[in-house]
Amino acid sequence: MSEPMSPAAPESSGLEGRLVPGRHGNASGPAGVTLHLCPPRALASVMARRGALEAAVRGVKAGFGLDLPSAPRRVAADATAFAWSGPGQWLAMTTGQTPGAFEQALRKALGASASVVDQSGGRLILRLAGPAARAVLAKTIPLDVHPRAFGPGDAASTLAGHIGVQLWQLDEAPTYEIAVMRSYAASLAQFLLDNSVEFGVEVSGAPPQPP
Amino acid sequence: MRYSALSLAWNALSGHTRWQPAWRDPAPKPYYDVVICGGGGHGLATAHYLAKVHGITRVAVLEKSWIGSGNAGRNTTIIRSNYLLPENVPFYEWSMKLWEGLEQDLNFNTMVSQRGVLNLYHSDAQRDAYARRGNAMRLHGVDAELIDRHAVRRMLPFLDFDNERFPIQGGLLQRRGGTARHDAVVWGYARAADSRGVDIIQNCEVTAIRSRNGRVEGVETTRGFIGADRVALALAGSTSLVATSAGLRLPIESHVLQAFVSEGIKPFIDTVVTFGAGHFYISQSDKGGLVFGGDIDGFNSYAQRGGLPVIEDVCEAGMALMPRIGRVRVLRTWGGVVDMSMDGSPIIDTTPVRGLYLNTGWNYGGFKATPASGWCFAHLIATGEPHGTARGFRLDRFATGRPADEKGVGAQPNLH
Amino acid sequence: MRIECPYCGSRDSREFTVLGDARLADRPDAAGPGALGRFVAYLHERDNPAGLHPELWYHGAGCQSWLIVTRDTRTHRIQKVEAARDLPREGALR
Amino acid sequence: MTRSQAFRLAAGGFVDRARPLRFTFDGRPMTGYAGDTLASALLANGVRLLGRSFKYHRPRGLLSAGPEEPNALVELRKGARREPNTKATTVELFDGLEAASQNRWPSLRLDLLSLNSALAPLLPAGFYYKTFMWPRALWERLYEPVIRRAAGLGRAADGHDPDHYEQAYAFCDVLVVGAGPAGLAAALAAGRAGARVILCEEDARLGGRLLSEDLEIDGLPAHVWAEEAVRELSGLAGVRIMPRTAVFGVFDGGTYGALERVTDHLPVPPAFAVRQRLWRIVARRTILASGAIERPVAFAGNDRPGVMLAGAVRTYLNRFAVAPGRRLVLFTSSDDGWRTAAAAARAGMEVAAIVDARAAVPPAVMALAPRGATVHLDARVREALGGRALAGVALEAQTGRQRIAADLLAVSGGWNPNFALASHHGARAEWCPHLVGFAPSGAPDGMVVAGAARGMLSLARCLADGWDAGATGSETLGFRPVGARAFSAEDEPSGVSALWHVKGGRAKAFVDLQNDVTVSDVLLAEREGYRSAEHLKRYTTLGMATDQGKTGNVLALGILAETRGAPVPSVGITRFRPPAVPVAIGALAGRHRGREFRPTRLTPTHAWAQSRGAVFVEAGPWLRAQYYPMPGETDWLETVGREVLTVRRSVGFCDVSTLGKIDVQGPDAGLFLDRLYINTFSTLPVGRARYGIMLREDGFVMDDGTTARLAPDRYYVTTTTANAVRVFQHMQFCHQVLWPDLDVQLVSVSDQWAKLSVAGPKARETLRGVVDAGSDLSSEALPHMGVAEISVMDGIAARIFRLSFSGELAFEVAVPAGYGAALAARLMQAGAAFGITPYGTEALGVMRIEKGHIGGNEIDGRTTAADLGLARMMSRKKDFIGRVLAERPALTAPGRMQLVGLRPLAAGARLRAGAHFLAPGAPAHAGNDEGVMTSVAFSPLIGSWIGLGLLKSGPSRLGQRVRAYDPVRGGDVEVEVVQPCFLDPSGERLHV
Ligand SMILES: Cc1cc2nc3c(=O)[nH]c(=O)nc-3n(C[C@H](O)[C@H](O)[C@H](O)COP(=O)(O)OP(=O)(O)OC[C@H]3O[C@@H](n4cnc5c(N)ncnc54)[C@H](O)[C@@H]3O)c2cc1C
Ligand SMILES: NC(=O)c1ccc[n+]([C@@H]2O[C@H](COP(=O)([O-])OP(=O)(O)OC[C@H]3O[C@@H](n4cnc5c(N)ncnc54)[C@H](O)[C@@H]3O)[C@@H](O)[C@H]2O)c1
Ligand SMILES: Cc1cc2nc3c(=O)[nH]c(=O)nc-3n(C[C@H](O)[C@H](O)[C@H](O)COP(=O)(O)O)c2cc1C
Ligand SMILES: [Zn+2]
């Protein structure tokens, strides 16, 4: 369960009115894809310090029980996950803690082995799922997402049209999560919608939790 | 035989069987006063002006394949002198002046068409930068007008003024700018130079420069050694390959620049237009093809071809600017190897090897320079002194700190 | 063009930006005599070969690694790709 | 209505007689069937005059039945959907189709420009290079307008393209291009091997020549075999069939461009469907099975409607069940041509004569001659007779000259392998005597050519070749071997001998039908020295039309070789280029047009600002609030003036989140920044910020910004909005490439923080209503250039920087971006008592100019730190990027243009950026150019326009007057040179 991020001020995604819940595009049959904006989660960049890669790996293992991947993959347990985002770099995420607490937890686990930077406000995460999700991605990113090439747990940073994104596959549905810099999120949402209308797309406010 | 309407009619009577070759096909002689390497526009223009202005006619132009096979024969034909910096404006304006009398000089219709060049601006800052440039042109006596959105709309009503990502605010217009028929420029200079005795030797590749004690002696070629008192390089994208043999490491990278032509359609674009918010410029040829282009691909290349990312980038910008062309089809795409310099400006200079002269660094914009480049290079070869309008184009400017950097992006060729 | 990023795998070249000649990795020593001349040459002069050309590419839309891509400028064929950070320093490219 | 299809055969073909479709051509209503192309439907209705040629406006009909068509170009659809130059042979008929002929006036039948034909003696190839030179002034005024009026073929659409396009990627092990027998066999082999296969076929229907021929494979009619093959392929999991998809280009690294015509076969795209889709297909192996294109023969009148390629005649007969004429003469030098005579006879046409240029043909070929047809061996067609339609042929036979009445002349000079794609990377073509044509020698990496595309001209060989290519290709990729496979199919006779040109005859003999290049044009080019094949092309325009010489090029080479008495390959062959088939510009652009041309970056307060009626401005990828008009304000200057004065007198705030922000951490972070910036950061105390300048390696200023030290090993760097991406990349370069030994970690946090700059004498008081209890904003706790981590709005972690761009007491407050809008709203409340205003980029600019701070206009890539008055910042104690080259003589020489302030002498005179400086009285001449006005603003406080500029030796000229000369806007204002800082030079306002 995610705890409230802030008791006081309202947080806005900037996508209000731009990613409108409901069925869009082709209206016949079940929607080819579903598209959701994920609720805010705590995110952080984790960057191993020089020569401290192994220590960082040990730290995450001890602190979170996860093996930091050394290739473009995402590992997850419970509410927390690490997505490889470059050599010695990961995007850490959790739905179980506030950004501040998560940052502290990461620092504690990693000590001097890595630099940690809060990114919770910097990215929005869109979730794309359904039988036509691969076909939508074919129009969106220059990557091969055929099951032979990309499966659950795989992650990649790439370009969606002209927008930089980081994405990973969650399951065989298939379900993908696409993290995007917040300032680009509206344009990315529009691009995904445009690429989805052919198949019919259901946009909903509150996505189901990842399996 | 002079070309004219009359000679055309006269020859029609004999079924056009009496026309002579536009230039001879001579075998290379063992020695020339000047050997010009490279049968592109610049090499041929240099030969023409050497012969015509300086009376030096024991000249050969050596071309590795057919004349005009390089960038002269594959460029988008835009001529203009709308530059900012004092190193550039007088030179390109001198070129404009030569263009304006070129057909008569060469007795060849090079179809210089002063249909105007319009650079669009999309922000206040861009407007002011264009004003700065336009004012610099005016100070040099060059025509320039800054026009607003309404004036642009009157000229080009079909641009996208309603759904723009980067609204068109106006443009910098040089009415004397325009286009010229690229191949005709090559052939016209070749024919004129040939008529004054210059040997144009095709299928003759220069493989090395021979020099002794710091003085040039001639060139090795695929057709044997050719001796020369002076050797002039006008090799555009291939300059480094030959210059290396004379021990020169140059401030040049060879890059691929693509261009595009559409199927022929009834003319509706009467000027040259450049988009200011993306890489796209366009004109329409006298045959009806839309001739357009954009940015270089960005990587070093000698392959004369580029990739899809740039093709898409150019068409995206084209559709952003004029969505009317959506159903017009691209007929052909191609690439040329351009000599990108470290400041985006050319080099016309002597070299540390005596008797070896250098003409390079034309980037994506040396077609418009063809007449002045030939004129100034001939001047340098004949007199040993740089021509007055080309003084800013010397090699030592990088050491002294006088780059002529129009874009202000520094020593990174693929950004110019 | 497709570039085999040592970290991300085979990717479309549009994910990258290219800087140019890999010799730009050999920044001269600013101290010592002749620094000015060495810097002028370092920044401005290029081999510009027709053939194999080691060059710097940045996987900006991917893992943000700077890579040394050895590519044939005549064919665009890529011979090898290495991470710049792994390269031995000091004149290794000369 | 169907009765009108007088040339439709009673049976056969792959048209659905139960689905009639109505269409019009030049307004004339007609009917065809589903399965027709526009060309076949027109033929069925007896329409033979379909277009006019480019130069002479000669009447033209169908030459072919495919994408090689040079003649039958039409304008398809209307208005904003008009598609000029559309080959009728490639248009699938749909109900309601409207097509019009083009390049004719007033009508197709009566085209006045066909007068050009009469002038033809004056208009040989390249005539325009020899004339129109005198008088010079008439070129733009008379000659060129006349030429342009005649230029072009069809007309572009009338308006913005209303349809959608998209771009997509696909990946496969084996890409098969073309679904003829070779391609189908290749796909079957690779598919059965388990490879991921993509089979692209340009046509709507798979089968290639199998649809046009009357052949058998494994005992089945060939088209039935093709249907079964397609059925099997559709059932294989790894195989993807892409009909209506033409591969148009080979790009590096095994990337192929392909165009899918998704809904072109429908009147308009249905809702949510695109018109066309651009595919970038990445393939490990590619099998090019694109078939062959038949070659015509040059003879007088060979362009008349009714002269058709022999293979195309079979296509119309067999695939479309249309007789392209009633009485046929066949003219050929190939065995294959004879099949047309047989097919025509079978369809009930009268075959008047078979004319073969060869002296003898094999018995098997002779057997193809229908009963009743006269066979002329060692004979030639000298001329095709008639006007707008073929009436007959003039024959040069062993029996002498004779005329034969005919309305259809089928021509075959042999077949050219269609291997353009194999040559896109420069692979050469080799001459194959047995084909009398070129075949590919070499191919791009990963590609093999199979079937007719590499010169296999019989069905049995095409099948075997395709299978072999598919099996071998997939096996080398590690898929299971599928072994060899024998197909039982015919090995049709495919002998051919050279037949380029028949001399004699009065009419012109054409090689390039669309561009009207004749045999005599080719010979003229040769005579005038345009001897290289590439010169020939450019001088005559041979092969430069929309068909790119698919039928004419080799013919011209053959003619030249014959003239020179030299072998054909010695003439050379022109270069093939993408696209192999023309591709709509819209398809290449995909969705990236209009507002979606490039993504738009929105600031955290975007929606909030929108709700307040802000006017936005594009700033690179960003949309930023430019100003916030209030009711009653009539122009932007008034609004901006109010915003500025409110800040200067009380308080305002501005969203500055667009600045680049980089988190730099690690033990070597300070050292790293020292090497990047001209000034020193390792000495910066924790909790303080410092303004920094970075140079490019060439010594010119690259960027500026403030950097704060958050911890001993942690800095927070800001860059200008414009340079954010470039600076981050530069830092990565310096770190990874130049100094990998440094222990630093860099990450962009540009989007993490919403950053609002709160400025004005009441800034501190306003902020007190925002920050949480315990946050001390006093000058003691947070001095100028101080930085603190605090919390705001009841528990939101924030950073506060006491930095000022405006010259006022100011704080930049950064909160996680999601709270930016909340912070703006909260600031409005907290500052309400002070009359707080949000302000936009205009007011921001005014205030920075009032303070003489440099911006993008001053950092134009040609200015040094000293030019900008910042020489003192340059540390002498360390190396940094740009240090050495900043010492080049010209960068330090006196007389450079340097930063100054400027004020008009006449109150109220308007300044404009971009004006150049001239000494008063100096003539307006470049030699007197002394610099340029870079930024201007109307300062409401000063009540005057003010400016910043770069002036020669500027700082030593304070008090002098110069002209700000702006001829492009009619401006010429006298200004005084002043200090760049107009307001509070000692900075007292920072410390209230
Ligand atoms: C796609 C494209 C579009 C362009 N558009 C424009 C434009 O619109 N306006 C504009 O002003 N400029 C434009 N340019 C730039 C312009 O074409 C060139 O700057 C200019 O043509 C270069 O000078 P040149 O004509 O002498 O070069 P080239 O024609 O390239 O001449 C060099 C010649 O040297 C020959 N050569 C090379 N090596 C050897 C050797 N070893 N021995 C003998 N000969 C050799 C080559 O074959 C070639 O013929 C464009 C360039 C390209 C590629
Ligand atoms: N006997 C002869 O002289 C002779 C001569 C020529 C052809 N043929 C016959 O023609 C057939 C040739 O078989 P094949 O399979 O090699 O060729 P094909 O012509 O049957 O098939 C080629 C297919 O490729 C498609 N195509 C071409 N370019 C394409 C592109 N860029 N993108 C997508 N699709 C494209 C075409 O539309 C066509 O369907 C054989 O049956 C052969 O017997 C015989
Ligand atoms: C201004 C201009 C107009 C052109 N118009 C046409 C054209 O109408 N048809 C065509 O096939 N090619 C046209 N081309 C392209 C040439 O065919 C050719 O691709 C180009 O000169 C490069 O040569 P290459 O492709 O042989 O390397 C044009 C080129 C230029 C520079
Ligand atoms: Zn990578």
Side-chain angles (χ1 to χ4, degrees), chain B residues 237 240-241 244 248-254 256 297-309 312 342 398-399 411-414, chain C residues 1 12-14 17-21 23-24 36 40-51 53 55 57 71-76:
Chain B
S240 299
L241 304 182
T244 310
L248 304 180
R249 263 188 109 220
L250 297 177
I252 296 293
E253 284 185 8
S254 296
V256 57
D297 278 53
F299 45 80
N300 289 49
S301 173
Y302 286 95
Q304 283 194 339
R305 60 181 162 81
L308 263 179
E312 292 168 23
M342 293 298 142
F398 301 107
Q412 192 182 326
N414 64 3
Chain C
M1 210 137 65
D12 193 298
S13 63
R14 67 186 83 210
T17 45
V18 55
L19 178 65
D21 197 332
R23 287 211 197 183
L24 288 167
L36 183 59
V40 168
Y42 159 75
L43 191 62
H44 299 103
E45 291 172 11
R46 301 285 195 272
D47 288 341
N48 195 24
H53 186 233
E55 51 198 29
W57 289 72
R71 201 177 50 92
D72 193 317
T73 57
R74 295 163 305 184
T75 59
H76 301 169

Side-chain angles (χ1 to χ4, degrees), chain B residues 146-295:
Chain B
L146 198 68
I147 65 173
D148 66 10
R149 178 177 166 96
H150 304 294
V152 172
R153 207 193 257 271
R154 277 193 299 277
M155 282 177 76
L156 302 159
F158 52 85
L159 301 188
D160 192 348
F161 289 97
D162 310 317
N163 186 34
E164 318 130 278
R165 172 69 181 80
F166 299 103
I168 299 164
Q169 289 192 12
L172 179 67
L173 175 63
Q174 184 184 22
R175 290 192 196 271
R176 281 167 62 249
T179 57
R181 183 86 205 150
H182 56 297
D183 288 328
V185 172
V186 172
W187 301 333
Y189 272 117
R191 178 165 163 273
D194 173 272
S195 74
R196 288 191 150 85
V198 171
D199 282 357
I200 292 162
I201 301 164
Q202 304 187 72
N203 301 311
C204 177
E205 178 169 359
V206 177
T207 52
I209 293 161
R210 194 194 280 181
S211 64
R212 184 188 297 186
N213 301 329
R215 191 163 203 321
V216 80
E217 292 192 316
V219 292
E220 312 285 354
T221 79
T222 46
R223 292 168 76 171
F225 175 76
I226 302 176
D229 181 53
R230 281 160 278 181
V231 171
L233 305 185
L235 297 164
S238 305
T239 311
S240 299
L241 304 182
V242 176
T244 310
S245 71
L248 304 180
R249 263 188 109 220
L250 297 177
I252 296 293
E253 284 185 8
S254 296
H255 282 256
V256 57
L257 173 63
Q258 300 192 63
F260 309 84
V261 65
S262 77
E263 296 181 344
I265 47 179
K266 291 287 168 207
F268 71 103
I269 302 178
D270 291 326
T271 52
V272 180
V273 193
T274 71
F275 187 34
H279 297 286
F280 178 73
Y281 62 91
I282 189 166
S283 67
Q284 190 166 13
S285 82
D286 284 350
K287 266 176 61 194
L290 302 182
V291 178
F292 58 102
D295 202 6

